[in-house]
Amino acid sequence: MLLLAIESTCDETAAAVLRDDLTVLGSVVASQEELHERFSGVVPEIAARAHLERIVPVIDEALRRAGVKLADLDAIAVAHTPGLAGSLLVGLVAAKTLCLASGKPLVAVNHLHGHIYACRMAAGKDVFPCVGLIVSGGHSNLYRCDSPVEFQYLGGTIDDAAGEAFDKVAAMLGLGYPGGPAIAKAAQAGNPTAFQFPRSFLHEPTRLAFSFSGLKTAVRYAIAGPGKPRPEASELEPQFVADLAASFQAAVVDSLVDKALRAVETTGLRTLCVGGGVAANRLLRQRLMEETSTRGVELHIAPPELCTDNAVMGAVAFERLRAGLTESLDLDAQPGLVRA
Ligand code: KG4
Ligand code: ZN
């Protein structure tokens, strides 16, 4: 079976042509980083407009790279939840239009299922059941994943996502956007113990939750105390910036690793899959590798290019297609996070 998968949940316009043995025949990701850079975060209206301009050429290019025509496809899959409403609608309308024109069935993809399925694709073997940790610009959640499409919410952030914290702290430090890679780079020259930043809920071992908003404030106060104006990032000493970046990164990684391991412990599952843009972070990957190997837990993290948003992870649609789960053209965008 051949599938065209479309992804437009946030700020990447992506399409991929996939075969049901999980071979990637063609994959295209058009990033919008340069459009959102000066805002230090994704501006929903700008993202939706950019998707609109890019979606057709991106789909065309994915088909061209795969050497496949619309008529050769068995189905068209689209990520319809969760995400930014305007962004989701562009991918959804593109997918529905192609289905209407070609008579091909439409398959719904949950973007979060996709992030964990990226691990399954990289592993080249079944990884379910597993604990899934999804850490991105919009999510920091833990799931019990009984199958590729059956997720049970175990816990998550009570405020910001980890990626959001990376992006906003990078902005405060004048490191640019997206913040994750920029902080990781700056942190290489820094001391991770220079600042003692909070690691929320570590004192509550049974609570599977994250909080990164207070951490952002702690970084802000380390730059200039409460009530004091924040200096321009250009006025900050490079070593001070590196130490802040390293200490911030260490706090985020400590929280994520601790709660992911707790989730493994409480569920009794022996496999941990980690997806989403923040899973590209080298320190997080290294720490997870160390901690899981000493506990005999199987760890799967997709390669960095499959951690950030892409359409290859839309291969999870094969799981639904095989079960006969196709959608009518009434399928709607569902921006909010459905926890189950
Ligand atoms: O999954 P993704 O591409 O989009 C969302 O669904 O949000 O994740 C993007 C997020 C951004 O916040 C970015 O700063 C973060 O992932 N990120 C990283 C790294 N690479 C990307 N965070 C930490 N370290 C990285 N190396
Ligand atoms: Zn994502």
Side-chain angles (χ1 to χ4, degrees):
M1 283 193 293
L2 285 182
L3 182 77
L4 169 69
I6 298 172
E7 153 68 41
S8 69
T9 59
C10 188
D11 65 336
E12 262 92 27
T13 320
V17 179
L18 307 153
R19 207 164 52 203
D20 59 348
D21 62 359
L22 301 186
T23 308
V24 180
L25 301 182
S27 167
V28 179
V29 180
S31 163
Q32 303 177 6
E33 266 166 32
E34 76 287 357
L35 298 178
H36 303 287
E37 194 172 2
R38 70 190 170 104
F39 304 103
S40 304
V42 178
V43 182
E45 187 60 24
I46 293 176
R49 283 169 196 232
H51 282 306
L52 208 49
E53 285 168 9
R54 294 161 190 215
I55 192 86
V56 173
V58 163
I59 291 172
D60 274 347
E61 179 62 11
L63 290 168
R64 195 194 63 77
R65 285 189 195 173
V68 161
K69 295 202 169 38
L70 197 54
D72 303 328
L73 297 171
D74 291 282
I76 294 164
V78 64
H80 75 117
T81 187
L84 301 171
S87 293
L88 287 167
L89 282 173
V90 176
L92 193 61
V93 170
K96 286 190 200 178
T97 307
L98 291 174
C99 288
L100 189 65
S102 65
K104 308 287 175 189
L106 177 67
V107 189
V109 169
N110 178 318
H111 179 75
L112 302 179
H113 295 170
H115 269 309
I116 296 302
Y117 207 70
C119 296
R120 190 264 171 260
M121 296 206 51
K125 61 169 192 165
D126 191 14
V127 297
F128 300 93
C130 64
V131 166
L133 169 66
I134 300 170
V135 264
S136 69
H139 310 282
S140 293
N141 301 327
L142 282 159
Y143 293 91
R144 181 194 169 97
C145 312
D146 284 305
S147 82
V149 292
E150 286 170 293
F151 282 26
Q152 190 192 330
Y153 180 78
L154 298 173
T157 181
I158 60 161
D159 42 55
D160 295 333
E164 149 82 12
F166 267 100
D167 293 337
K168 292 302 181 297
V169 166
M172 281 193 254
L173 299 179
L175 295 172
Y177 178 83
I183 294 254
K185 187 158 179 266
Q188 283 172 7
N191 172 5
T193 60
F195 297 90
Q196 286 310 306
F197 288 136
R199 281 117 167 107
S200 301
F201 306 125
L202 256 54
H203 57 286
E204 290 180 69
T206 56
R207 185 159 177 203
L208 295 176
F210 304 110
S211 167
F212 299 110
S213 158
L215 175 58
K216 263 185 350 194
T217 309
V219 175
R220 163 68 178 79
Y221 287 164
I223 298 171
K228 297 210 182 107
R230 181 160 59 86
E232 289 296 321
S234 56
E235 294 167 37
L236 302 175
E237 289 292 329
Q239 191 56 51
F240 178 71
V241 169
D243 287 346
L244 276 176
S247 303
F248 163 79
Q249 179 178 245
V252 175
V253 168
D254 277 352
S255 299
L256 295 174
V257 172
D258 182 87
K259 295 299 178 187
L261 293 172
R262 297 264 177 224
V264 168
E265 209 174 277
T266 47
T267 56
L269 296 171
R270 303 306 297 161
T271 305
L272 173 64
C273 289
V274 189
V278 180
N281 184 273
R282 199 150 13 122
L283 179 67
L284 177 63
R285 298 170 81 93
Q286 187 191 325
R287 283 284 311 286
L288 283 169
M289 261 187 274
E290 287 162 10
E291 300 290 341
T292 51
S293 76
T294 57
R295 289 169 174 78
V297 172
E298 199 176 310
L299 174 70
H300 297 285
I301 314 181
E305 67 278 11
L306 288 187
C307 288
T308 46
D309 288 347
N310 63 84
V312 168
M313 64 196 196
V316 70
F318 282 122
E319 304 283 338
R320 297 181 71 85
L321 197 54
R322 272 192 221 106
L325 294 172
T326 58
E327 308 296 325
S328 82
L329 296 187
D330 291 334
L331 179 69
D332 214 346
Q334 220 174 76
L337 180 61
V338 178
R339 298 223 143 136

